[in-house]
Amino acid sequence: MAQDDERMVRLKIRRRDAPSEPDYWQSFVVPWRPRMNVISALMEIQRKPLTATGEKVTPVVWECVCLEEVCGSCTMLVNGRVRQACSALVERIAPNGEVITLEPMTKFPVVRDLVVDRSRMFEDLKRVKAWIQIDGSYPLGAGPRQAPESQEASYPLSRCMTCGCCLEACPQINGASDFVGPAAISQARLFNLHPSGAMHAAERLETLMGAGGIEGCGKAQNCVEVCPKEIPLVDSIAAMARETTKQMLFGWLLK
């Protein structure tokens, strides 16, 4: 193995100059650093944008904010697997100097290089009304109490950072489907568990009973395998499937 001061990191990156432009590949070689992650390697390319053959190019474009797997903005395909680039440590994914392949997610429109437009996720959150409705902006006092059991069920769901990993891995998310995806379904469950959110639970269930709702899940369970926050997405889908069935059978009694 090469000495630390001789080690290099090799990257192969799928690039695109604009949404309407074709994809192309470029290879880069950057110096290795201790505890280096993929973002660090991209920063090295930004500092000195030269390909492996010495050609000067425009710096690679990507997104990042928190650098601690909280914001979800640096999601991309690393060696073919969707994950956050900030937690992809070079020593683990390429311990012997293997080439690291970086690509943008495929289920979202590419803006440029590794940056994608995740607007559909936020539109799907709107579809399922993933928020707590309040009456005005004046002080409402202390909120309703929530049972410890409900809090325990809700906390894992609240960790979602809308990174898009679950949608990228879901075979039901494609150009011919309007499936809202596991993230939106799980968030609908989160707000239905909240005492205030429960007041509008029926509206969320009605949405999930419609086109692109719960019936769109093919039960592949890929989503829970790639979720960086280990959110029980399959449990959420199952729970909301039960609730939508109850709503379909007995919802008319509440109208």
Side-chain angles (χ1 to χ4, degrees):
M1 181 178 293
Q3 297 297 320
D4 286 353
D5 57 355
E6 299 175 357
R7 292 177 63 181
M8 304 298 287
V9 179
R10 296 168 174 81
L11 302 105
K12 183 180 179 182
I13 304 175
R14 184 190 292 273
R15 305 194 62 181
R16 186 186 296 186
D17 295 332
S20 59
E21 296 293 322
D23 294 345
Y24 61 94
W25 290 92
Q26 285 184 338
S27 296
F28 300 87
V29 179
V30 299
W32 177 88
R33 299 284 186 273
R35 295 175 295 280
M36 193 177 200
N37 59 13
V38 167
I39 295 296
S40 301
L42 289 170
M43 287 179 173
E44 289 290 337
I45 296 174
Q46 187 179 57
R47 185 177 297 112
K48 191 177 181 180
L50 298 175
T51 66
T53 58
E55 177 188 0
K56 188 173 183 178
V57 295
T58 57
V60 178
V61 179
W62 79 96
E63 286 187 300
C64 68
V65 179
C66 69
L67 298 180
E68 53 184 1
E69 207 174 65
V70 172
C71 71
S73 62
C74 67
T75 309
M76 62 183 69
L77 299 182
V78 180
N79 290 343
R81 181 181 175 84
V82 66
R83 61 178 302 172
Q84 274 65 61
C86 63
S87 58
L89 300 179
V90 170
E91 289 185 353
R92 293 184 180 178
I93 60 179
N96 298 309
E98 298 90 342
V99 174
I100 301 173
T101 303
L102 305 181
E103 302 172 79
M105 287 191 285
T106 62
K107 302 297 180 72
F108 303 91
V110 176
V111 177
R112 184 176 176 184
D113 292 343
L114 302 173
V115 178
V116 297
D117 182 0
R118 290 177 294 154
S119 294
R120 68 157 294 167
M121 292 196 72
F122 301 101
E123 293 302 319
D124 288 339
L125 290 175
K126 294 179 185 177
R127 286 174 63 184
V128 300
K129 300 177 176 61
W131 61 79
I132 299 294
Q133 298 187 36
I134 61 173
D135 180 17
S137 57
Y138 50 87
L140 299 176
R145 298 186 64 181
Q146 188 172 10
E149 296 79 9
S150 179
Q151 293 177 0
E152 187 174 351
S154 296
Y155 178 71
L157 311 182
S158 70
R159 301 179 67 199
C160 179
M161 54 187 179
T162 326
C163 65
C165 284
C166 58
L167 271 68
E168 177 67 24
C170 178
Q172 304 305 117
I173 301 294
N174 53 65
S177 169
D178 60 353
F179 180 44
V180 295
I185 293 174
S186 187
Q187 289 300 290
R189 181 190 179 199
L190 170 64
F191 287 98
N192 279 7
L193 285 171
H194 192 278
S196 295
M199 293 188 292
H200 302 280
E203 296 179 36
R204 300 188 187 94
L205 294 175
E206 291 289 343
T207 299
L208 292 179
M209 289 164 59
I214 201 78
E215 51 81 26
C217 177
K219 300 177 176 62
Q221 302 188 24
N222 292 0
C223 54
V224 75
E225 294 294 330
V226 299
C227 179
K229 294 301 182 182
E230 300 181 345
I231 299 171
L233 296 169
V234 173
D235 292 348
S236 288
I237 294 171
M240 296 309 283
R242 290 192 297 270
E243 293 303 314
T244 52
T245 300
K246 293 178 185 177
Q247 180 69 16
M248 179 180 62
L249 294 175
F250 308 114
W252 61 275
L253 294 173
L254 304 176
K255 294 182 179 180

